């Protein structure tokens, strides 16, 4: 019987054909994943919704005021408590409603609190550009966020925001929600709510009086109230107004013709003449606002009810603000109203900002803040940051490191040169001297020596951001498009005074939210350089203040360091910027003045004689804030050694025992790099010792002998002088004695012996002795002087003393009231005689030659009393008065140095004379420096 059952192979094929297709498996898997995700997302969303805050009606009406606290926790400002006027929906004109909804939420009156179409667009944008790149918040959601939630861009908060928006729409009408929104928004210039803003900017108390351009301006302000402030930036305001008008046309609120008419309006013509009331410490608060905005996503210091703990020291802030006024008691001599100035004060140890002075004569009304916004070239204040700091850090150069300051520096690939500000070039000079005198050529050579990459790395560690992210040769002297603010420059210099530790300057330590959440905003500190670099730069900058370009900033008794700087304008004489940045172990200050006419940066040179104002600002402020506190000196780390170096040695060498003291200087070296060798420049052979000579009458010869203790390979050159004639060489010997034969009788011989090196021919100092070849002369007596007299010359306030002497050669010891001096002439003058005082004068002769050398003769004395103003003429204490015409004026050509020792004063960063009290010194251009 036939077997009809399928074969084993056929059965396997049949079984395989019954398997599900692959695409069905993939679809099933995706569906399962989708269901799981939906369930998971729903569960998470449900949790977020369950934990969302309740709708608290008390928080819906007005924004919450923020409290600003100083470094000691005391409130000094409350933002948002004033300048707020509440309006109802019925007070709102249709033009304002249309402008606001067209700009912020075109379908506001149609959606239920969330706009699904906007959400879809935002999702696509966030997928393309990252989460948070575009929002989809409706006006309702914005009310919820500002009333109940923080501005963090978290998915959980967005879910809660949308949930609460739906609830808000259920409990309140559209009109009520729009009313909440317009009463809650911050419009800048300390105005909260649309009614306050209309009055602040346009002087209109009735909103129905608003024109279309005014309504468009108000609708556009909340997005960026500071940037679009019409008082401050009318051009940006107009751009934003045009955007709002365009949206109104797009959404059918106005016609294109109406928009064109509105665009013709000049923004300043719409504004009120008087600006809003000032805010205390406005320049500092601007920095607070900036930090909170950057570090706390979406937070608003004017509307979020924050408690902001800051670093401000009110006493320091008030003094800084005072120095920027035109008060009659202000010691800073500003030349005119056009000069601008700014200053920042940091705590050297922590980087906390103690004060911000934003501009001269600030009205506290959101003006341009030169301390935190006014970027400009840094001039020579960049030299320690770009050139010398990196060279010490990476190349471990010493403060003595030699740089050839020989000629102007030719910028490679150009026909331009960098010159020293004084147009002088001194050859090899030390790093300390070059920085001290703020020389440009050594600075750019130092940058080349260390390398651009290392210089960039070092400077960026101090918060410097380079233009187009590159370093140019001119950066060594602060003369390129890389620019800084006074706050940034102070932050960089502070690290030198803080053992190399850097963190960004900060004004806010922490922020507390109304719900109790606290955010710590202190930046983390990090080493920006080695401790040896910080200390050695500081030591060099100490010299710059005590001896160099910064002497006008020097405060006696206060350990401090600092650097000057100026900039230049192309083809214009003078400097548009002048700087001084300096520090102690307690405070760091950066002061700037500039020839700005306005915040649009129309540049002008500083008037002649006023580039030293930053040094005066620094000195006055540092003196004031350092009162009654201990200022410790900078501590030398173990990584640095002090070494004596022979000046002029290259490479550096230690001085020898023969190096003159004026050629020995003390410099700093990184431990392990100090010089090991000793200079031989001033080395001399040791002279002979124990030189003696005696006359041998029997042989008619002179026997000479000497000692020599050194191991040097030398010979001895013996010379003789007869009766005061010329010194004649006799012989050279390696022995330590010699016999001089056939000497002249009854003569006086002076014998000289000099050690001569057999290696290089160098010679020692000569040693001499005297011997006579005749009978010993009888010793002459040293007689007393004769005719000793003293007379007073009233016209010149001089006492003329004279005497006669008849005896062997002698000098004369003259004692005046116990103070003795030795002279070689027969008289002297006593200057500065005091009326009414008696002078006792004693003269003693002292033998000079042969057997009489050092022998003292008898002393003779006299006295004279200088007459008082109404007294009789003086009487001479000697036996006979000298006639008036015999007063003895002494040597009229021996008037000596009057003490007016004139020196070139190079204490200017730009060839200024630092003591010119009339401020008429010649301004130089120290970072003109860069583009000569």
């Amino acid at each position: 019987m036939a077997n009809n059952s399928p074969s084993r192979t056929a059965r396997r094929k049949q079984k395989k054909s019954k398997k599900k297709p692959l695409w069905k498996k993939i679809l099933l898997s995706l569906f399962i994943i989708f269901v799981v995700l939906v369930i998971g997302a729903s569960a998470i969303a449900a949790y977020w919704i369950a934990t969302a805050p309740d709708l608290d009606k008390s928080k819906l009406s007005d924004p919450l005021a923020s409290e600003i606290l100083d470094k000691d926790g005391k409130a000094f400002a409350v933002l948002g408590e004033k300048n707020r006027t509440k309006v109802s929906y019925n007070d709102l004109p249709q033009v304002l409603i249309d402008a606001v909804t067209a700009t912020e939420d075109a379908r506001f009156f149609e959606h239920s609190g969330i706009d699904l179409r906007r959400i879809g667009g935002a999702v696509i944008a966030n997928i393309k550009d990252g989460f948070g790149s575009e929002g989809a918040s409706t006006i309702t959601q914005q009310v919820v966020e500002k009333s109940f939630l923080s501005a963090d861009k978290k998915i959980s908060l967005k879910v809660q925001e949308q949930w609460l928006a739906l609830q808000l729409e259920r409990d309140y009408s559209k009109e009520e929600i729009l009313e909440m929104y317009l009463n809650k928004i911050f419009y800048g210039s300390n105005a909260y709510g649309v009614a306050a803003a209309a009055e602040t900017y346009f002087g209109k108390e009735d909103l129905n009086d608003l024109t279309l351009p005014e309504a468009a301006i108000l609708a556009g302000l909340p997005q960026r109230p500071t940037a679009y402030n019409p008082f401050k930036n009318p051009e940006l305001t107009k751009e934003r107004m045009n955007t709002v008008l365009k949206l109104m046309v797009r959404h059918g609120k106005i016609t294109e013709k109406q928009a064109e008419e509105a665009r013709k309006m000049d923004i300043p013509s719409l504004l009120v003449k008087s600006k809003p009331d000032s805010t205390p410490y406005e320049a500092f608060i601007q920095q607070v606002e900036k930090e909170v905005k950057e570090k706390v996503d979406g937070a608003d210091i004017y509307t979020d009810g924050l408690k902001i703990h800051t670093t401000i020291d009110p006493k320091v802030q008030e003094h800084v603000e005072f120095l920027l006024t035109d008060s009659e008691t202000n010691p800073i001599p500003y030349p005119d109203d056009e000069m601008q100035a700014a200053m920042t004060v940091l705590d050297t140890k922590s980087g906390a900002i103690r004060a911000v002075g934003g501009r001269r004569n600030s009205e506290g009304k959101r003006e341009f803040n030169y301390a935190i916004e006014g970027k400009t070239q840094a001039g020579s204040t960049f030299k320690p940051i770009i050139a010398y700091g990196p060279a010490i850090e990476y190349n471990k150069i010493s403060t003595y490191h030699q740089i050839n300051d020989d000629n102007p520096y030719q910028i490679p690939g150009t026909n331009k040169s960098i010159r020293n500000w004084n147009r002088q070039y001194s050859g090899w000079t030390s790093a300390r001297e070059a920085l001290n005198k703020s020389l440009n050529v050594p600075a750019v050579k130092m940058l080349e020596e260390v390398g651009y990459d290392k210089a960039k790395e070092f400077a960026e560690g101090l918060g410097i951001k380079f233009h187009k992210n590159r370093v140019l040769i001119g950066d060594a002297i602060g003369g390129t498009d890389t620019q800084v603010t006074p706050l940034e420059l102070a932050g960089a210099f502070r690290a030198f005074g803080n053992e190399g530790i850097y963190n960004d300057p900060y004004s806010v330590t922490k922020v507390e939210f109304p719900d109790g959440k606290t955010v710590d905003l202190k930046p983390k500190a990090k080493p920006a350089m080695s401790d040896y670099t910080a200390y050695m730069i500081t030591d060099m900058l100490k010299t710059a203040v005590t001896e160099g370009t910064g002497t006008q900033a020097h405060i006696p008794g206060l350990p401090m360091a600092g650097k000057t700087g100026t900039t230049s304008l192309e083809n214009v004489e003078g400097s548009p910027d002048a700087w001084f940045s300096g520090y102690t172990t307690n405070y760091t200050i950066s002061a700037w003045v500039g020839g700005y006419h306005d915040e649009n940066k129309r540049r002008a040179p500083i008037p002649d004689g006023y580039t030293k104002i930053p040094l005066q600002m620094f000195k006055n402020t540092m003196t004031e804030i350092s009162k009654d506190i201990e200022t410790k000196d900078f501590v030398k780390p173990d990584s640095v050694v002090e070494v004596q170096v022979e000046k002029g040695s290259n490479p550096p060498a230690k001085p020898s025992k023969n190096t003159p003291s004026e050629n020995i200087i003390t410099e700093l070296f990184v431990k392990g790099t100090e010089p090991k060798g000793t200079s031989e420049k001033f080395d001399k052979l040791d002279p002979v010792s124990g030189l003696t000579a005696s006359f041998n009458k029997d042989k008619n010869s002179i026997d000479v002998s000497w000692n020599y203790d050194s191991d040097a390979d030398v010979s001895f050159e013996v010379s003789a002088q007869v009766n005061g004639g010329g010194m004649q060489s006799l012989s050279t010997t390696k022995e330590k004695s010699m016999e001089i034969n056939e000497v002249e009788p009854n003569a006086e011989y002076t014998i000289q012996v000099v050690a001569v090196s057999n290696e290089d021919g160098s010679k020692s100092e000569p040693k001499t002795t005297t011997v006579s070849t005749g009978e010993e002369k009888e010793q002459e007596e040293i007689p007393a002087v004769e005719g000793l007299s003293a007379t007073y010359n009233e016209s010149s306030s001089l006492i003329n003393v004279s005497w006669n002497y008849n005896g062997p050669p002698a000098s004369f010891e003259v004692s005046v009231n116990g103070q003795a001096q030795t002279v070689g002439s027969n008289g002297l003058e006593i200057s500065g005689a005091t009326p009414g005082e008696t002078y006792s004068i004693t003269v003693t002769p002292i033998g000079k030659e042969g057997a009489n050398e050092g022998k003292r003769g008898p002393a003779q004395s006299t006295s004279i009393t200088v007459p008082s103003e109404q007294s009789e003429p003086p009487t001479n204490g000697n036996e006979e008065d000298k006639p008036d015409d015999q007063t003895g004026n002494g040597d009229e050509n021996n008037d000596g140095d009057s003490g007016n020792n004139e020196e070139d004063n190079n204490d200017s960063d730009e060839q200024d004379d630092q003591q010119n009290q009339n401020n008429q010194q010649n301004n130089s251009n120290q970072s003109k420096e860069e583009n000569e």
Side-chain angles (χ1 to χ4, degrees):
M1 186 174 68
N3 187 359
N4 294 325
S5 63
S7 68
R8 183 178 301 172
T9 301
R11 287 198 302 272
R12 281 202 300 267
K13 289 181 179 180
Q14 185 179 13
K15 186 175 181 181
K16 184 175 181 181
S17 66
K18 291 181 180 179
K19 289 184 177 180
K20 293 181 180 179
L22 180 61
W23 66 269
K24 287 186 178 182
K25 289 184 178 181
I26 293 173
L27 285 178
L28 180 61
S29 298
L30 290 176
F31 177 75
I32 293 172
I33 292 172
F34 174 75
V35 171
V36 170
L37 289 176
V38 168
I39 294 173
S42 300
I44 293 172
Y47 172 76
W48 287 338
I49 290 172
T51 56
D54 296 330
L55 287 177
D56 186 346
K57 294 183 179 180
S58 64
K59 295 181 180 180
L60 289 171
S61 56
D62 293 326
L64 300 175
S66 293
E67 191 176 33
I68 315 295
L69 285 65
D70 67 16
K71 70 180 184 66
D72 298 320
K74 296 180 181 178
F76 67 89
V78 178
L79 306 180
E81 67 174 353
K82 302 180 194 175
N83 207 14
R84 180 185 290 117
T85 302
K86 187 174 181 179
V87 294
S88 66
Y89 183 82
N90 294 330
D91 298 323
L92 303 175
Q94 190 62 43
V95 66
L96 179 62
I97 295 172
D98 290 342
V100 171
T101 54
T103 304
E104 292 293 333
D105 188 356
R107 287 176 290 279
F108 171 70
F109 288 102
E110 302 168 12
H111 60 63
S112 59
I114 56 176
D115 189 339
L116 295 178
R117 287 172 59 184
R118 291 184 69 183
I119 291 175
V123 168
I124 294 172
N126 288 330
I127 291 173
K128 287 182 178 180
D129 304 323
F131 180 72
S133 60
E134 182 176 318
S137 295
T138 63
I139 287 176
T140 310
Q141 288 175 258
Q142 291 182 55
V143 171
V144 167
E145 179 196 321
K146 292 186 177 297
S147 300
F148 308 111
L149 304 171
S150 72
D152 291 345
K153 292 180 179 180
K154 295 179 180 179
I155 296 178
S156 60
L157 293 177
K158 274 297 174 186
V159 172
Q160 291 179 340
E161 178 187 291
Q162 293 171 358
W163 169 253
L164 292 174
L166 294 173
Q167 283 190 300
L168 190 66
E169 290 270 356
R170 185 186 62 190
D171 295 344
Y172 295 92
S173 67
K174 290 287 187 179
E175 292 76 11
E176 289 174 314
I177 293 172
L178 186 60
E179 178 184 305
M180 296 173 191
Y181 173 79
L182 291 175
N183 281 315
K184 189 177 287 291
I185 293 297
F186 175 62
Y187 286 85
S189 296
N190 205 29
Y192 302 86
V194 69
E199 186 174 357
T200 296
Y201 294 117
F202 311 120
K204 295 186 175 180
E205 298 182 7
D206 188 342
L207 295 178
N208 288 292
D209 294 334
L210 289 173
T211 64
L212 174 58
E214 292 167 346
I217 290 172
L218 292 177
L221 271 172
Q223 185 186 62
R224 295 173 64 197
T226 300
Y228 296 137
N229 187 318
F231 291 128
K232 179 181 175 183
N233 298 314
E235 293 179 358
L236 285 178
T237 302
K238 188 156 190 174
E239 289 180 12
R240 179 62 176 161
M241 180 191 77
N242 290 338
T243 299
V244 173
L245 293 172
K246 184 177 179 181
L247 290 170
M248 293 180 74
V249 172
R250 178 187 301 171
H251 295 294
K253 307 296 183 181
I254 59 173
T255 65
E256 182 60 37
K257 183 178 180 180
Q258 289 174 307
E260 281 299 320
E261 286 297 317
R263 292 188 184 105
K264 294 178 182 178
M265 294 301 301
D266 179 55
I267 299 299
S269 68
L270 300 174
L271 305 177
V272 295
K273 302 303 178 184
S274 60
K275 295 183 181 181
D277 293 338
S278 63
T279 303
Y281 310 150
E282 172 65 23
F284 185 89
I285 290 178
Q286 286 184 33
Q287 177 63 21
V288 170
E289 179 183 6
K290 181 180 178 183
E291 287 184 35
V292 172
K293 185 176 182 179
E294 290 174 352
K295 298 178 181 180
V296 185
D297 194 15
D300 191 329
I301 69 172
Y302 295 97
T303 61
D304 290 355
L306 309 173
K307 181 176 284 188
I308 304 171
H309 297 259
T310 77
T311 61
I312 191 172
D313 186 328
K315 291 183 179 179
V316 179
Q317 179 72 29
E318 288 168 9
H319 185 78
V320 167
E321 290 184 359
F322 162 69
L323 288 186
L324 295 173
T325 67
D326 285 339
S327 168
E328 292 181 358
T329 58
N330 184 357
I332 306 301
Y334 298 109
D336 51 43
D337 292 337
E338 290 186 343
M339 173 180 277
Q340 268 301 341
M343 181 162 50
T344 54
V345 181
L346 307 183
D347 184 298
T348 300
K349 298 180 183 67
S350 67
I353 303 172
R354 298 304 183 203
V356 177
R359 62 185 297 127
R360 284 182 62 203
N361 299 313
S362 171
E363 297 178 357
K365 299 175 181 178
R366 308 293 298 185
E367 304 120 311
F368 188 84
N369 188 329
Y370 290 95
I372 64 175
E373 300 174 285
K375 283 183 175 289
T376 185
Q377 291 178 339
S380 285
T381 59
F382 255 15
K383 288 175 180 174
I385 298 171
I386 308 295
Y388 297 100
I392 295 174
E393 177 69 14
Y394 302 114
N395 293 5
K396 296 186 178 180
I397 70 164
S398 69
T399 57
Y400 179 76
H401 182 78
Q402 296 293 293
I403 313 164
N404 195 5
D405 178 32
D406 52 352
N407 289 298
Y409 175 89
Q410 185 76 31
I411 301 176
T414 74
N415 58 358
K416 295 182 178 180
S417 295
I418 294 175
R419 297 178 171 86
N420 289 336
W421 59 265
N422 57 8
R423 300 302 187 265
Q424 297 176 8
Y425 306 91
S426 54
W428 289 99
T429 187
S430 70
R432 180 189 295 277
E433 189 77 2
L435 186 56
N436 171 15
K437 293 180 178 178
S438 199
L439 302 178
N440 296 329
V441 172
V444 296
K445 287 187 175 182
M446 197 79 270
L447 171 57
E448 279 202 329
E449 190 174 317
V450 72
Y452 290 6
D453 290 342
K454 290 296 186 183
K456 183 172 181 286
E457 178 184 344
F458 184 87
E460 287 179 339
L462 297 175
I464 304 301
K465 294 178 176 61
F466 288 93
H467 180 67
K468 294 184 178 180
N469 200 34
R470 62 176 180 169
V471 176
L472 303 176
I473 191 65
D475 284 314
I477 53 177
T480 71
D481 288 331
T482 294
Q483 301 179 339
V484 292
T485 66
L487 181 60
E488 291 169 339
L489 193 62
F493 268 74
R494 171 195 151 252
F496 292 125
N498 191 41
E499 300 178 353
I501 305 301
Y502 174 83
N503 53 260
D504 290 334
Y506 63 98
S507 63
V508 181
T509 58
K510 63 180 179 179
V511 172
E512 296 180 39
F513 287 85
D515 61 2
K517 183 180 77 170
T518 299
V519 180
D520 188 345
L521 299 190
K522 282 185 180 179
K524 292 183 179 180
K526 60 181 180 180
M529 68 190 83
S530 304
D531 56 0
Y532 59 77
T533 303
Y535 183 80
M536 291 168 69
I537 287 291
T538 295
D539 196 68
M540 294 165 75
L541 294 182
K542 276 184 166 183
T543 307
V545 172
T546 56
E547 301 175 15
T549 59
T551 53
Q552 286 193 29
H554 181 235
I555 304 170
L558 195 70
M560 54 169 289
K563 184 71 188 76
T564 54
T566 57
T567 65
S568 67
L569 291 170
E570 190 171 359
N571 300 322
V572 177
E573 289 295 324
S575 302
D577 307 283
W579 292 88
F580 186 80
S581 281
Y583 52 93
T584 67
T585 51
N586 292 329
Y587 295 106
T588 300
I589 298 174
S590 184
W592 165 88
V593 298
Y596 284 142
H597 287 273
D598 54 31
E599 50 263 33
N600 293 324
K601 296 190 177 182
R602 289 185 296 150
R603 310 304 302 281
I606 297 168
D608 286 349
Y610 290 93
T611 57
K612 294 299 181 183
I613 285 182
L615 287 78
Q616 300 168 33
M617 295 166 64
F618 171 90
K619 182 174 183 178
N620 184 284
T621 303
M622 187 65 82
T623 300
E624 180 65 25
I625 65 181
S626 297
K627 287 179 179 177
D628 304 322
I629 63 172
E630 180 186 7
T631 300
K632 295 181 179 179
D633 201 353
F634 304 93
V635 178
K636 180 170 70 67
D638 293 338
S639 57
V640 176
V641 291
E642 291 183 353
V643 180
Q644 284 192 330
V645 179
E646 183 175 283
K647 191 174 183 179
S649 59
N650 187 17
K654 294 184 289 186
S656 68
K657 62 181 179 180
N658 297 308
T659 303
S661 59
E662 62 268 20
N663 289 81
I664 300 175
I665 55 176
T666 300
E667 295 288 0
L668 301 179
F669 291 77
V670 179
K671 192 172 185 179
T673 67
E674 59 269 29
K676 302 296 189 294
T678 300
S679 172
E680 299 179 356
K681 179 178 180 181
F682 295 97
D683 278 1
K684 293 181 179 179
L685 291 174
D686 292 335
V688 301
S689 60
L691 176 62
T692 61
S694 60
F695 175 56
N696 188 326
K697 185 177 181 181
D698 295 336
K699 291 184 176 182
N700 191 33
S701 63
I702 296 175
D703 296 322
V704 185
S705 64
W706 58 89
N707 299 320
Y708 195 71
D709 299 327
S710 173
D711 294 331
D713 181 14
V714 297
S715 298
F716 303 98
E717 184 181 88
V718 183
S719 305
Q721 180 188 63
V722 183
N723 293 330
M727 187 70 70
Q728 300 293 324
S729 177
L730 300 178
S731 178
T732 299
T733 178
K734 298 198 72 171
E735 303 299 326
K736 297 176 185 176
S737 62
M738 175 179 284
E739 182 179 285
I740 304 173
N741 298 311
E742 299 180 0
V743 297
E744 297 181 20
N746 299 315
E748 185 176 82
Y749 277 75
T750 299
I751 311 299
Q752 173 182 284
V753 179
V754 175
V756 181
S757 171
N758 292 327
E759 296 177 352
D760 58 16
S762 60
K763 296 183 178 182
S764 72
E765 293 179 359
K767 289 295 182 179
T768 60
T769 188
T770 303
V771 63
S772 176
T773 60
E775 298 291 337
E776 284 289 331
K777 291 184 180 180
E778 224 179 274
Q779 181 175 320
E780 291 186 72
E781 291 295 324
I782 302 294
V785 300
E786 299 175 350
L788 177 62
S789 67
T791 59
Y792 175 63
N793 188 329
E794 184 175 1
S795 63
S796 59
S797 298
L798 295 174
I799 297 175
N800 297 303
V801 183
S802 62
W803 59 86
N804 298 318
Y805 175 73
N806 186 17
S811 56
F812 306 95
E813 180 184 271
V814 183
S815 174
V816 182
N817 289 349
Q819 299 294 319
Q821 61 177 308
T822 301
V823 298
S825 60
N826 289 16
L828 83 165
E829 292 178 344
I830 302 172
S831 61
T834 304
E837 185 170 343
T838 298
Y839 291 83
S840 297
I841 303 165
T842 301
V843 179
T844 305
I846 303 174
K848 293 200 301 183
E849 297 180 1
N852 288 320
E853 185 173 356
K855 184 177 180 182
R856 299 172 68 88
Q860 288 291 322
S861 299
T862 186
S863 65
I864 183 172
T865 301
V866 178
S868 301
E869 292 184 0
Q870 301 299 325
S871 64
E872 294 295 325
T875 58
N876 194 329
N878 200 11
E879 294 179 334
E880 57 183 300
D881 291 339
K882 196 167 188 176
D884 290 343
D885 60 353
Q886 300 292 323
T887 55
N889 290 325
D891 184 358
E892 63 184 9
N893 294 320
N894 188 24
D895 54 5
D897 186 351
S898 65
N900 296 324
N901 183 20
E902 296 184 4
E903 300 176 357
D904 285 338
N905 185 354
N906 285 333
D907 284 351
S908 166
D909 195 15
E910 300 79 29
Q911 73 196 62
D912 292 349
D913 176 0
Q914 71 168 28
Q915 296 300 325
N916 189 340
Q917 296 300 317
N918 294 321
N919 288 310
Q920 294 300 319
Q921 64 263 47
N922 289 325
N923 245 352
S924 89
N925 173 5
Q926 174 252 327
S927 273
K928 187 185 279 192
E929 320 179 290
E930 45 271 11
N931 293 321
E932 289 289 349

